[in-house]
Amino acid sequence: MSYSYAPNPDDSLRAREGAHWSYAQSPSQSQPQSQSQSGHGNGISKRLGGFFENKADLPMYKDKPYSYTASSRLPPIWKRRGPQAAAAICVFLVMYFTGIFSATTAPADIAGRKWGLASLKGSAVTQADWNRRRDSVREAFKMSWDGYEKYAWGKDEYYPISKTGRQMTPTGMGWIIVDALDTLIIMNLTSRLSHAREWVSTSLNYTQDHDVNTFETTIRMLGGLLSAHYLSTEFPNMAPLDEDDVGKAGEDLYIEKATDLADRLLGAFESNSGIPYASINLETRKGIESHADGGASSTAEASSLQLEFKYLAMLLGEHVYWETAENVIKVIDDNGMEDGLLPIYIHPDSGKFIGSNIRLGSRGDSYYEYLIKQYLQTSKEEPIYLELWDQALAGVRKHLITYSENAHFTVLAERPSGLKANLSPKMDHLVCFMPGTIALSATEGRSLSDARKSPGWGHKQEGEMELARELTKTCWGMYKATLTGLAPEIAYFNIDDPPHMESDGKLTSKQVDWNEQTDDPKLNWKNDYDIKTMDSHNLQRPETVESLFYMWRITGDNIYREWGWEMFSSFVKFTALEDGGFTSLSNANKLPPETRDNMESFWLAETLKYFYLLFSPVDLLLLDQVVINTEAHFFPRFKLQRGLKTGWTRKPRDEDGKIIMQAAAASESESHQKKSEEAPANKVVKEALSEKDDDVKSQVQPEAKIQKGASNTDK
């Protein structure tokens, strides 16, 4: 069901928001007026600058800001009357244009709007500046959401230039709506959340005779529902709604929808090996082989479902979710690949890898990400995943880390034909999740200063943090290397021949003036980047700002926030539309850039969420208390409970990670004996879940009812 929505200014929700807004806007807090510009940027300027205006009442469809602080809304200096203010402005301008503030640049010209002096980059950044920048991200989200709501509500895909949408299945999956639920909660966009929740309640139906991608549906839809459940129960003051209060009919909406979807997705795992098929028919619950790649599933897609299914298993006490998901990692690990580095395809029938292409970009990336996050998700009670992560990271450093020719940027390269073959100096933007993940693994989500005080801290962790810093710098350079300041989908690097590997001795990148122009090829850092026209598109991807968020939270270094602000400014300047929101680009290395007429769901679910968190206080969703899935959905850390446990062990292997066959055979025999004792009970549970019909669901559902706070059990 799809329909347009106009909020009623007289309803109780609007009244509550209006009262909050009026209270926050005291008469003494006059707001700077957005500068009126003609042309393309006028409407955007009003939207992004509107929250600076002094309004006594809440404007239509304007939700209350999160942790609104009156102190962040001081009058701008140009509105403070008197000779002192005028003199201060003159002195500042003289100092600025003579270059005294060496760390600053000109104000960002964002879609035709000159930002105020408080938004200038510099070493002395105040809390008010970051609040204002965070609010700018919130406004960008609202522009994007409102365009989608106006022109394509309920559709799975949105084309903001042509102002149309399209469904991926007969009645839609809520691809954009469900993926953005937790962003709406985190940004306290209560009215919009209420509308989205109403759509989930009345229109979201998974009984559709259509196949969907197993991985994408799990991380976006199942992950989105589970994250919305977690945030709405554990943080009731975030975008509070009456509908999900304890005892209300809609209390368990998110978890009920998640359970229905998960039960359907289980069919994808019913292959000969337990490796999930690439797709699943939602109605028949039958897995479907990939239409390409010889029927193989990608390694990342098969191995990035565990956080979601294990969290659901903990909530419901249903072991089948847990055991099905963790078995995938066992099958993968039983291949015994050298140094923990895996080819990017695995066949669901055999459970064996296809080909020898090894990379941490597309089809490989989130396997590695989910290793360390599974270890953290269960509060470090499953050390097997830390062992897998440590082995893989050591393999990355041994086989894939090299350096660019002149500036010595750290490059996480690829081995398209296996570890013994040539290196390819290529980095997908997708690889830029890695520096943040490395920092997370080294510190376990604590601040660097606290982590260094722990007994286990040492040379290994310091080296990992240094690698994280250098890779973050390389990813930031992918943005600075283009004409728009927005990264390409793929970048190649000019490296030495033969390549200088980390095992040949670490190289530290040179000091770089990102804005310097020079004709000397050895001094021009941009020459280290080779951006090909066919790879120059920008899809609004989140991986670099994701790592900036982790790096800032962990190190406390404001440079990561400053880089993030410059990135966000480029998105607004080059991808914002006068009406409709934001669009991706077909060519980000051309002025004016070529637009693509598409807004990815992860623009709302990930990219803008990470920008918002980057500019927010550090205590908003503490990193050492949560894990974040590969679609930026938040789950709690928890201890093993309800009989859940690690149900597998690694086969013995040599120092290169290859399985020692004789010892493995003995281990396999012991494992089979243990499984045969447990199999009858597991089979009953699985059959009961796969054969649920409406009558069975009506009986089972009360048992699945989740009380407030259940997700925090034993935490």
Side-chain angles (χ1 to χ4, degrees):
M1 179 177 178
S2 179
Y3 49 86
S4 60
Y5 173 70
N8 180 0
D10 297 323
D11 66 26
S12 59
L13 179 61
R14 299 289 306 174
R16 288 209 312 265
E17 292 172 352
H20 178 94
W21 190 264
S22 298
Y23 175 79
Q25 300 277 50
S26 66
S28 62
Q29 295 165 1
S30 60
Q31 311 297 314
Q33 303 293 321
S34 60
Q35 297 181 15
S36 177
Q37 302 285 346
S38 60
H40 173 77
N42 186 34
I44 300 169
S45 301
K46 290 179 180 178
R47 287 297 306 275
L48 290 177
F51 56 85
F52 293 111
E53 298 174 4
N54 182 25
K55 298 179 180 179
D57 196 11
L58 174 64
M60 179 60 70
Y61 220 75
K62 181 104 175 177
D63 297 84
K64 60 183 180 297
Y66 180 76
S67 296
Y68 187 91
T69 53
S71 61
S72 69
R73 296 294 177 264
L74 294 174
I77 191 170
W78 59 83
K79 287 199 171 185
R80 299 176 194 173
R81 300 177 181 178
Q84 293 90 346
I89 293 173
C90 293
V91 171
F92 179 88
L93 291 174
V94 170
M95 295 173 70
Y96 175 74
F97 285 109
T98 54
I100 292 177
F101 298 109
S102 59
T104 65
T105 63
D109 182 1
I110 300 180
R113 178 183 183 274
K114 291 285 186 180
W115 290 75
L117 297 179
S119 295
L120 285 173
K121 297 190 295 294
S123 56
V125 178
T126 67
Q127 183 63 42
D129 292 325
W130 294 114
N131 283 343
R132 189 168 300 191
R133 293 177 180 191
R134 179 186 64 180
D135 286 345
S136 301
V137 175
R138 194 169 179 270
E139 287 295 322
F141 179 93
K142 290 196 290 186
M143 287 173 60
S144 302
W145 180 268
D146 292 351
Y148 166 71
E149 187 176 53
K150 181 177 180 181
Y151 297 113
W153 182 247
K155 298 293 194 296
D156 294 323
E157 296 177 1
Y158 174 45
Y159 313 122
I161 296 176
S162 57
K163 299 180 175 59
T164 59
R166 187 182 75 87
Q167 297 290 28
M168 296 164 48
T169 63
T171 60
M173 290 281 290
W175 207 250
I176 293 174
I177 295 172
V178 174
D179 213 10
L181 285 171
D182 58 355
T183 310
L184 291 164
I185 294 172
I186 290 169
M187 292 186 180
N188 249 14
L189 295 170
T190 315
S191 294
R192 291 167 177 82
L193 176 64
S194 181
H195 187 206
R197 196 179 188 284
E198 180 185 12
W199 187 92
V200 171
S201 177
T202 61
S203 301
L204 182 56
N205 178 17
Y206 293 124
T207 305
Q208 301 184 56
D209 187 13
H210 200 278
D211 59 292
V212 297
N213 181 276
T214 304
F215 164 74
E216 297 289 358
T217 303
T218 300
I219 65 167
R220 300 191 196 207
M221 301 297 96
L222 183 59
L225 290 166
L226 290 172
S227 183
H229 167 76
Y230 167 59
L231 295 178
S232 64
T233 55
E234 295 302 319
F235 303 93
N237 292 326
M238 285 186 178
L241 295 176
D242 292 338
E243 298 95 312
D244 58 9
D245 287 350
V246 176
K248 292 296 181 67
E251 175 187 358
D252 295 327
L253 172 65
Y254 299 134
I255 201 67
E256 289 169 359
K257 292 290 186 180
T259 304
D260 179 23
L261 178 58
D263 289 347
R264 298 170 189 272
L265 290 169
L266 281 176
F269 296 84
E270 294 180 358
S271 65
N272 291 335
S273 68
I275 295 294
Y277 291 109
S279 299
I280 178 74
N281 184 292
L282 290 174
E283 185 171 76
T284 66
R285 308 184 185 204
K286 297 294 184 183
I288 303 169
E289 284 188 352
S290 171
H291 301 302
D293 311 316
S297 300
S298 80
T299 301
E301 293 185 354
S303 59
S304 304
L305 315 165
Q306 286 67 30
L307 295 180
E308 296 78 8
F309 277 95
K310 291 170 86 171
Y311 177 40
L312 184 60
M314 189 280 292
L315 286 173
L316 301 182
E318 295 281 11
H319 290 209
V320 65
Y321 300 131
W322 184 284
E323 292 162 359
T324 300
E326 76 167 0
N327 179 62
V328 174
I329 306 301
K330 178 189 183 303
V331 173
I332 285 174
D333 192 56
D334 282 352
N335 279 268
M337 301 309 296
E338 183 178 351
D339 291 327
L341 300 179
L342 312 182
I344 60 173
Y345 292 106
I346 187 168
H347 205 286
D349 284 341
S350 65
K352 303 299 181 183
F353 288 109
I354 305 296
S356 54
N357 191 343
I358 293 174
R359 65 183 184 221
L360 270 74
S362 63
R363 301 186 179 275
D365 49 1
S366 48
Y367 161 74
Y368 304 94
E369 175 188 358
Y370 270 37
L371 293 179
I372 188 61
K373 289 184 176 180
Q374 284 184 82
Y375 172 66
L376 297 175
Q377 181 182 38
T378 51
S379 302
K380 302 185 289 184
E381 292 187 335
E382 295 188 281
I384 193 170
Y385 297 107
L386 177 62
E387 180 184 339
L388 287 163
W389 163 261
D390 283 340
Q391 182 186 8
L393 182 57
V396 166
R397 303 185 75 163
K398 178 180 177 181
H399 297 286
L400 303 181
I401 295 295
T402 186
Y403 304 92
S404 67
E405 192 173 35
N406 295 315
H408 296 163
F409 293 121
T410 297
V411 179
L412 206 171
E414 301 180 357
R415 297 275 185 179
S417 301
L419 296 182
K420 307 304 181 186
N422 291 337
L423 190 80
S424 173
K426 165 179 171 281
M427 275 181 67
D428 294 355
H429 187 275
L430 289 165
V431 176
C432 290
F433 83 93
M434 193 61 172
T437 304
I438 293 172
L440 174 67
S441 73
T443 63
E444 299 175 354
R446 298 166 293 179
S447 69
L448 184 58
S449 59
D450 285 345
R452 281 173 169 161
K453 298 172 186 176
S454 63
W457 189 267
H459 178 74
K460 173 180 177 291
Q461 288 76 18
E462 287 290 353
E464 289 172 357
M465 285 303 303
E466 183 57 30
L467 177 60
R469 291 187 188 93
E470 290 292 341
L471 282 173
T472 305
K473 184 176 180 180
T474 302
C475 290
W476 168 236
M478 291 171 69
Y479 284 76
K480 295 296 292 182
T482 70
L483 294 175
T484 62
L486 296 173
E489 180 73 358
I490 297 169
Y492 287 82
F493 292 82
N494 292 312
I495 62 174
D496 294 326
D497 186 14
H500 183 102
M501 305 300 293
E502 186 184 71
S503 55
D504 299 324
K506 295 180 185 176
L507 296 180
T508 301
S509 61
K510 298 176 181 178
Q511 286 291 111
V512 169
D513 181 347
W514 296 108
N515 299 309
E516 182 182 23
Q517 302 292 327
T518 177
D519 295 329
D520 187 341
K522 291 188 176 296
L523 297 179
N524 189 346
W525 62 267
K526 288 187 179 181
N527 289 337
D528 283 10
Y529 290 82
D530 180 11
I531 300 173
K532 304 182 186 303
T533 302
M534 65 182 298
D535 301 327
S536 62
H537 49 287
N538 181 283
L539 301 182
Q540 306 168 301
R541 286 201 185 276
E543 288 78 21
T544 297
V545 66
E546 172 186 351
S547 281
L548 294 180
F549 162 67
Y550 278 107
M551 293 299 291
W552 174 69
R553 281 285 187 96
I554 289 169
T555 69
D557 190 340
N558 263 329
I559 190 61
Y560 301 115
R561 296 178 110 184
E562 294 291 359
W563 287 354
W565 176 248
E566 190 169 338
M567 285 169 55
F568 174 72
S569 301
S570 294
F571 273 117
V572 175
K573 183 173 184 178
F574 292 109
T575 73
L577 304 172
E578 187 67 26
D579 180 32
F582 289 72
T583 184
S584 52
L585 302 178
S586 293
N587 190 336
N589 200 24
K590 178 181 179 181
L591 293 178
E594 296 174 3
T595 56
R596 197 178 182 90
D597 193 16
N598 187 51
M599 184 194 78
E600 296 285 351
S601 76
F602 52 69
W603 169 248
L604 302 178
E606 298 187 76
T607 308
L608 289 176
K609 182 188 295 169
Y610 279 124
F611 276 126
Y612 185 82
L613 292 169
L614 177 62
F615 304 145
S616 294
V618 295
D619 58 354
L620 176 57
L621 298 170
L622 295 170
L623 276 183
D624 61 355
Q625 296 180 11
V626 299
V627 288
I628 309 173
N629 88 337
T630 197
E631 188 72 9
H633 295 313
F634 282 74
F635 308 145
R637 300 190 189 187
F638 56 86
K639 292 184 178 296
L640 292 176
Q641 56 192 279
R642 297 189 171 191
L644 300 173
K645 60 183 179 180
T646 308
W648 66 288
T649 56
R650 301 190 74 192
K651 294 179 178 179
R653 55 202 70 216
D654 61 23
E655 61 182 11
D656 291 328
K658 295 180 179 178
I659 292 174
I660 303 172
M661 299 308 296
Q662 186 174 1
S667 175
E668 185 91 10
S669 176
E670 182 181 346
S671 176
H672 280 318
Q673 182 178 355
K674 186 177 180 181
K675 276 191 173 182
S676 66
E677 296 170 356
E678 299 175 348
N682 292 341
K683 185 178 180 182
V684 170
V685 174
K686 189 169 185 179
E687 288 177 351
L689 283 171
S690 64
E691 294 174 1
K692 281 181 183 178
D693 56 25
D694 291 340
D695 291 334
V696 174
K697 285 182 182 177
S698 67
Q699 297 171 7
V700 174
Q701 198 62 59
E703 297 176 11
K705 207 160 180 64
I706 304 302
Q707 297 299 323
K708 299 290 183 180
S711 59
N712 203 32
T713 304
D714 294 338
K715 190 168 82 173

